[in-house]
Each structure stands twice: as structure tokens, then as C-alpha cells.
Amino acid sequence: MAELFKDIPDAIENTLEIVEKIETPDLKRDILLPHYKLPEGFRTMDEYLEHLTFEGAKERYGGLTTDVTERINHELGIIQDMGFSGYFLIVQDFISAAKDLGVWVGPGRGSSAGSVVAYTTGITNVEPLRHDLIFERFLNPERQNMPDIDIDFDDDGRQKVIDYVIDKYGKNQVAHIITYGRMTAKSAVRDV
């Protein structure tokens, strides 16, 4: 560069001066979630998620045992400490709406099936206590990642759910995430 700009010696010095003035940007960003409107009588998302969880537990378990209550309190503590109550409420909302719209919703898969909160709020239909599923595999305070709840909708009803989410939370709050895979000869034979 010094050779290219030998007729403008200040160019190299000015470039270095600009580099020295640059502040390292903080790339850490808060989780961006759509606004979830709380129903009347609830002040926080934590409070509302707790309400839905315990009401769902009474319905799904036929009452509250010590084991169920302890597990719920443990999970809610982690969810609330990590700031994910809103995420659970949003997911619970559109899964409930999908069922109301007649869309087939899968029972839940992956590590989210280890959550009693997800089970009692209707996000999953896999009972984690009976199957000894571990919550920390799904959400762990030592990993500061957003929870990943895998949800399956039937092909015909998927668009109804997308339309619901867009109508409720706004078009600029919705994104499609998709993965493509290739079916090679070897994988096709293995699958068959």
C-alpha cells in the first residue's frame, strides 16, 4: 500500500489514525422476542407462566404431588432466572392457537420433552417424570443459549399457524428457519 500511495504519504498515516480511533463494538445482543400481552390480573410474564404451569399441572397430573411441585419450582426458577418466561408464553400461545385452528401438532421431540413446564402448558405431550427425562439437557443455566423447542405442524395447517403468529405479533417479528438436506444414493438406501 505504501508503494501504491507513495504520491500521497498522508494516506497511510490517516488510515492508521482511523484504526486507532475505532472502538471495539460490543456484539452481545439481548434476545429479541415479540411483545407478549399479558391478560388482566397479571403483572409479569414470570407470574403468568407460573399460573399456567400450575393450572396445567393440576389438569394433567390430576393434582399436585411433592415431586411435581418441586420439579415445577426448579424449572420455573431456571426459566425465570434466564429470562425465558416470555419465550415459553409465546410458544404456548401459538401451539394452543394451532390446536384451536384444527392444526395437527406433534407431541414434542428433542430435549424440550424433558420439561415439565412445557408439558403442563401444552407445549409438549410427553410426560417427562414418568420417562425420567432431564430438564437440564433442554435448559441449563451454565449454557446461556436460547431454548430450542422443536415443533411439528401438519403440512396443510402450517400456514394457518404462520398467519396467526404474523397477525398477533407482527410481520416484522416472524422469520422462517429451514434446513435443507440432500438425499444421496447412500442415505436413500440406508433410509429405505
Side-chain angles (χ1 to χ4, degrees):
M1 295 309 293
E3 182 61 32
L4 284 173
F5 291 103
K6 63 182 173 191
D7 57 323
I8 314 171
D10 291 346
I12 300 297
E13 290 175 26
N14 288 343
T15 302
L16 292 174
E17 184 180 334
I18 291 169
V19 169
E20 289 169 0
K21 290 181 179 180
I22 293 175
E23 294 179 23
T24 305
D26 180 15
L27 298 179
K28 182 179 180 274
R29 187 172 74 185
D30 290 335
I31 295 167
L32 300 175
L33 290 175
H35 174 70
Y36 182 86
K37 187 175 182 204
L38 291 169
E40 294 267 332
F42 295 96
R43 294 173 291 128
T44 67
M45 287 185 271
D46 291 343
E47 182 183 320
Y48 187 51
L49 179 61
E50 187 172 325
H51 168 76
L52 288 178
T53 302
F54 279 104
E55 289 302 308
K58 289 174 193 170
E59 186 177 310
R60 287 206 149 186
Y61 288 106
L64 293 173
T65 64
T66 304
D67 288 344
V68 170
T69 303
E70 285 177 3
R71 177 71 175 258
I72 287 172
N73 287 329
H74 170 71
E75 289 187 20
L76 284 173
I78 291 172
I79 292 166
Q80 292 168 357
D81 287 348
M82 294 181 78
F84 293 137
S85 291
Y87 175 73
F88 276 79
L89 291 171
I90 290 167
V91 173
Q92 180 276 332
D93 173 53
F94 70 76
I95 288 177
S96 176
K99 291 173 184 175
D100 291 345
L101 292 167
V103 176
W104 181 87
V105 181
R109 60 184 169 88
S111 61
S112 65
S115 171
V116 172
V117 171
Y119 174 67
T120 58
T121 58
I123 293 172
T124 63
N125 282 321
V126 178
E127 202 286 289
L129 295 176
R130 181 174 58 214
H131 300 291
D132 293 324
L133 300 176
I134 302 167
F135 174 72
E136 284 75 12
R137 189 168 170 265
F138 167 57
L139 193 58
N140 189 322
E142 293 180 19
R143 288 182 307 159
Q144 293 296 316
N145 297 348
M146 186 87 177
D148 181 19
I149 299 176
D150 298 318
I151 305 163
D152 296 308
F153 298 111
D154 69 74
D155 291 338
D156 295 333
R158 179 176 290 121
Q159 191 58 49
K160 291 179 189 176
V161 179
I162 292 169
D163 292 342
Y164 171 82
V165 173
I166 288 171
D167 289 344
K168 181 157 186 177
Y169 297 104
K171 187 174 184 171
N172 62 344
Q173 299 291 323
V174 179
H176 290 269
I177 300 172
I178 190 167
T179 350
Y180 289 98
R182 287 184 11 193
M183 183 63 79
T184 61
K186 185 177 179 179
S187 63
V189 169
R190 185 177 51 235
D191 287 354
V192 169

